[in-house]
Amino acid sequence: MSKAGKVLKIANVLRKKSVLVATVAAFGTASAAIAGIAYFGQNAGNLDIVVDEESESGIILSEDKNFLYTSPRLLADTISGIKPTSYDRINTEYVRNTDGNYGSESAKYIGYTFYLKNVGNETVDVQMIMTIEKVKNYVDECSRIIIFENDDNGTLYQKQEDLSTYGYTYNQLYRGYPSTTFFKNDNVIFDRTITKLAPNDVIKYSFIMWIDGNDPDCTDKGPRSIINGALKTGISFKIIKEK
């Protein structure tokens, strides 16, 4: 992609005089053009959350905090026609207070809240891995994913940026963004360990995913256009057994 194409979508930004960027475009210019973006999986969901088969007797999932309904697999709803937005326009508290699916009416982001519980008799460590299962038309380049665990401030994940080109990450331009962690690699978003999950312990997770219009890679021009792109992710849980 040309330099001009890459900087096309740095959006609605820089109201602080202390922040200087050479090229700025008005937010919303990409919204209509990128209306074709979707998340994979009419039947599979855009987020597939599973417990490893060998771990099903020890940990379980639910969309209900009281675990009236449990399952070793959860599927978040698919949303198509995604439009670019930014973190400061997402109602994170609404998502965190809504069990199960939350999709904004304007189709600008996906939200999903679920619970993990230790139903076994032993305290265990659990591996939690989030992966990119499918991607089309470079949507992963400008997608953002935030995971909230219980009452924490959340961790924001994005793909590694080419700082040699821009000299900054766009998150540095905005106050109020959570700390950013780059994807572990092209296929794995994160790989973390839940330590000492005791019997009957419950962890609440809220997941939000969006196309960020502030990202220079959010473009509808050139060979790396994200029009008609798509993205599907998955989270898996597995009890770590002692060797």
Side-chain angles (χ1 to χ4, degrees):
M1 182 190 303
S2 67
K3 183 176 181 180
K6 287 186 176 180
V7 300
L8 181 63
K9 304 305 176 190
I10 303 178
N12 187 25
V13 27
L14 312 184
R15 297 173 182 170
K16 302 293 183 181
K17 292 183 180 179
S18 59
V19 182
L20 298 177
V21 173
T23 305
V24 179
F27 185 86
T29 56
S31 297
I34 307 180
I37 294 175
Y39 285 86
F40 276 112
Q42 293 298 325
N43 298 315
N46 67 78
L47 173 64
D48 190 358
I49 308 166
V50 298
V51 170
D52 175 75
E53 289 184 4
E54 295 182 359
S55 304
E56 288 181 13
S57 61
I59 52 177
I60 201 70
L61 303 168
S62 181
E63 293 182 353
D64 172 31
K65 63 183 177 182
N66 296 314
F67 284 80
L68 299 178
Y69 169 79
T70 64
S71 174
R73 184 182 187 190
L74 300 174
L75 296 173
D77 288 346
T78 295
I79 295 181
S80 59
I82 292 290
K83 299 175 182 178
T85 189
S86 59
Y87 179 74
D88 54 351
R89 299 189 178 195
I90 294 174
N91 191 338
T92 57
E93 289 306 309
Y94 198 167
V95 175
R96 297 179 75 169
N97 291 323
T98 302
D99 290 347
N101 289 287
Y102 172 81
S104 66
E105 293 180 1
S106 56
K108 290 187 176 180
Y109 57 93
I110 294 168
Y112 189 75
T113 295
F114 67 97
Y115 301 84
L116 173 75
K117 184 177 183 178
N118 182 352
V119 292
N121 298 317
E122 299 179 355
T123 297
V124 295
D125 293 340
V126 179
Q127 184 182 34
M128 178 183 182
I129 300 177
M130 186 170 193
T131 56
I132 295 175
E133 298 184 1
K134 294 181 181 180
V135 65
K136 179 183 177 183
N137 291 356
Y138 312 104
V139 172
D140 56 331
E141 302 283 347
C142 55
S143 288
R144 297 296 183 270
I145 295 165
I146 188 167
I147 300 287
F148 295 96
E149 182 177 299
N150 291 327
D151 296 323
D152 73 5
N153 293 323
T155 303
L156 178 63
Y157 294 94
Q158 68 173 86
K159 196 166 184 179
Q160 176 78 50
E161 293 180 329
D162 184 1
L163 301 185
S164 63
T165 300
Y166 304 115
Y168 61 90
T169 64
Y170 84 89
N171 290 349
Q172 293 172 338
L173 306 179
Y174 299 89
R175 295 181 179 182
Y177 270 69
S179 60
T180 300
T181 300
F182 290 129
F183 294 173
K184 184 174 182 179
N185 54 50
D186 287 344
N187 301 310
V188 178
I189 296 170
F190 64 75
D191 184 346
R192 63 168 78 169
T193 299
I194 304 165
T195 58
K196 297 182 180 180
L197 187 68
N200 296 315
D201 276 358
V202 174
I203 300 178
K204 176 183 178 180
Y205 290 102
S206 292
F207 160 94
I208 303 174
M209 180 163 59
W210 70 97
I211 302 290
D212 206 299
N214 297 317
D215 191 315
D217 289 311
C218 180
T219 179
D220 56 2
K221 305 294 183 182
R224 296 180 70 85
S225 166
I226 63 173
I227 292 179
N228 296 320
L231 180 67
K232 181 181 179 182
T233 59
I235 297 176
S236 64
F237 294 92
K238 182 178 181 179
I239 292 176
I240 301 173
K241 296 182 179 180
E242 295 183 2
K243 295 183 180 180

